[in-house]
Amino acid sequence: MYTVKELARLTGLTPRTLRYYDSIGLLCPRRGRDNDYRLYGGEEVDRLQQILLYRDMGLPLEEIKNLLDAPGFDREAALREHLTRLRERRREVDALIRAVQNTLHTIEGGTTMTEKEKFEGMKRQAMEENEAAYGRELREKYGDAAVEEHKTRLSGMSEQEWEETQADEEAYKAALRRAVETGDPAGEDAREAVRLHAAWLAHYWPERKVTPKAHTGMAVMYTQDERFTAYYEEVAPGCAAFFEKAVKAYYQQ
């Protein structure tokens, strides 16, 4: 049995974090005989391990709670899934390490990387960063085949195609900023932003086809995942929620 302070010391969490987990029903300790202190046993420690594993995968705490409390939750299967994710992440990190090492060797040796080498390194880094940040969500929503197709399309892009992709991304962001300023998610500026966003997505999607259903699902995900929301908040305040409304309005008209 562990007290709050003992479990905090064991896991590296703060007592405040453990108390917060208790307050939201995520990790509830047992009460002492006098009901004036909290104790964690083996069952609670096992649950905390799962919480930390899923938190490391980027899941929100509310989603973790729903997952762990779901009937039929399989702890062994969850651990195996997490092990697979960790191995994928290790491969991605190893690839990044090799890229950085090659760059350092080039600098230290006084040689110059060719433009092709720089471009290929830039594409590889973009794929690895995207997989690490959003891979799980995209795979769950669209399937492994679609994500792998996206990576294949990206890795096969020529430098000209890459530049076109970057230009389309900046174009839809600029249109989206203008649309947010109007405050009208069904207006012409918003519709232009949606059209340009679909054109940008098409660079990566199978057969360059962005269906209304898939496009709308992507926009909804922008408001449901805090990382996507943060990305669009950099475009304009309130942008993610506005854009979700804009995409829905676009396909309803």
Side-chain angles (χ1 to χ4, degrees), residues 224-240:
Q224 293 180 342
D225 188 291
E226 59 188 15
R227 288 165 297 175
F228 285 106
T229 301
Y231 172 85
Y232 279 94
E233 283 298 309
E234 293 183 1
V235 176
C239 184

Side-chain angles (χ1 to χ4, degrees), residues 71-120:
F73 172 72
D74 190 332
R75 181 168 179 259
E76 180 180 351
L79 286 171
R80 292 188 183 280
E81 179 189 3
H82 190 67
L83 180 60
T84 299
R85 301 291 186 187
L86 289 173
R87 285 171 173 163
E88 290 175 356
R89 187 183 304 173
R90 181 173 64 185
R91 288 194 292 270
E92 293 161 1
V93 171
D94 286 344
L96 283 173
I97 289 173
R98 288 193 296 271
V100 173
Q101 286 176 333
N102 290 338
T103 302
L104 285 173
H105 290 329
T106 299
I107 295 173
E108 293 166 355
T111 58
T112 302
M113 295 178 69
T114 65
E115 292 301 318
K116 180 176 177 58
E117 288 173 335
K118 291 179 182 179
F119 173 60
E120 292 301 325

Side-chain angles (χ1 to χ4, degrees), residues 156-177:
M157 279 186 184
S158 66
E159 190 165 359
Q160 180 179 350
E161 290 173 325
W162 174 266
E163 291 175 352
E164 290 174 357
T165 300
Q166 301 305 300
D168 285 349
E169 182 178 12
E170 291 305 315
Y172 96 75
K173 284 183 179 180
L176 192 51
R177 291 189 193 96

Side-chain angles (χ1 to χ4, degrees), residues 29-76:
R30 310 173 194 182
R31 299 294 173 177
R33 282 183 301 232
D34 298 329
N35 203 35
D36 59 352
Y37 58 92
R38 289 169 281 194
L39 295 173
Y40 298 87
E43 185 177 340
E44 289 76 29
V45 172
D46 287 344
R47 183 178 173 94
L48 179 57
Q49 180 192 36
Q50 290 295 321
I51 292 170
L52 296 179
L53 289 176
Y54 281 118
R55 194 183 70 172
D56 184 58
M57 292 169 63
L59 268 67
L61 294 180
E62 181 178 356
E63 187 175 336
I64 295 174
K65 181 179 183 301
N66 292 337
L67 181 64
L68 297 182
D69 292 340
F73 172 72
D74 190 332
R75 181 168 179 259
E76 180 180 351

